[in-house]
Amino acid sequence: SQQGEEDPQALSIQEGENATMNCSYKTSINNLQWYRQNSGRGLVHLILIRSNEREKHSGRLRVTLDTSKKSSSLLITASRAADTASYFCATEGNDKIIFGKGTRLHILP
Amino acid sequence: SAVISQKPSRDICQRGTSLTIQCQVDSQVTMMFWYRQQPGQSLTLIATANQGSEATYESGFVIDKFPISRPNLTFSTLTVSNMSPEDSSIYLCSAEGVGSGELFFGEGSRLTVL
């Protein structure tokens, strides 16, 4: 069953701008993760934030988690053409990882 | 990190036949999972592959249709049985790194059923 719901479903921005994607989920979690998938490829892990954390940074990525609202956001700063991909949030709980529907990000030159 | 090798990478199969997908991990992992992904869609968890015992299936997936084996910590197979065109999809093997919670993915097996 689907746990996370990302929004927006699709996002187009100019290169250099920041991109923000949101994820909402329904049940309690141990952690929330973000993944990137380039067209026709497997998924690549970007960042993991635990349920007791509120914010985490990794390079140009910033993730926030609000467990009271059951939501998370992924911010990509200073976007590049290579950031064009689909981004999925995934929640871990009960020994399994469930993925959201994803956001398709397109960086315009 | 772990590298996951999945094969076949793609196949075209006839209705009613079965296909087994193999997944090999190059390092120690904990959990292994099988997902299905329709093009342009999200991933749907099929089952958790348990070492030496029966897999744990998600709602809507059954062992007779998707038998899974995991004879050791780093190898698993998924069989898609008695295939129909509705089974056409990308099947992804993944494994969780020891102590990291991070999932590593294979490149997927793109299955087309005619």
Side-chain angles (χ1 to χ4, degrees), chain B residues 27-38:
Chain B
S27 59
Q28 291 296 315
V29 292
T30 55
M31 313 285 278
M32 289 186 76
F33 304 96
W34 287 95
Y35 290 87
R36 184 169 71 183
Q37 185 180 32
Q38 300 286 354

Side-chain angles (χ1 to χ4, degrees), chain B residues 26-86:
Chain B
D26 72 342
S27 59
Q28 291 296 315
V29 292
T30 55
M31 313 285 278
M32 289 186 76
F33 304 96
W34 287 95
Y35 290 87
R36 184 169 71 183
Q37 185 180 32
Q38 300 286 354
Q41 303 297 316
S42 184
L43 284 73
T44 300
L45 180 62
I46 298 172
T48 302
N50 300 309
Q51 185 196 359
S53 64
E54 190 173 297
T56 304
Y57 290 85
E58 295 300 302
S59 175
F61 298 96
V62 295
I63 187 171
D64 290 345
K65 177 66 175 177
F66 298 101
I68 288 170
S69 77
R70 188 181 176 190
N72 57 56
L73 279 174
T74 60
F75 183 78
S76 179
T77 67
L78 166 73
T79 299
V80 186
S81 303
N82 188 24
M83 288 183 285
S84 66
E86 292 71 34

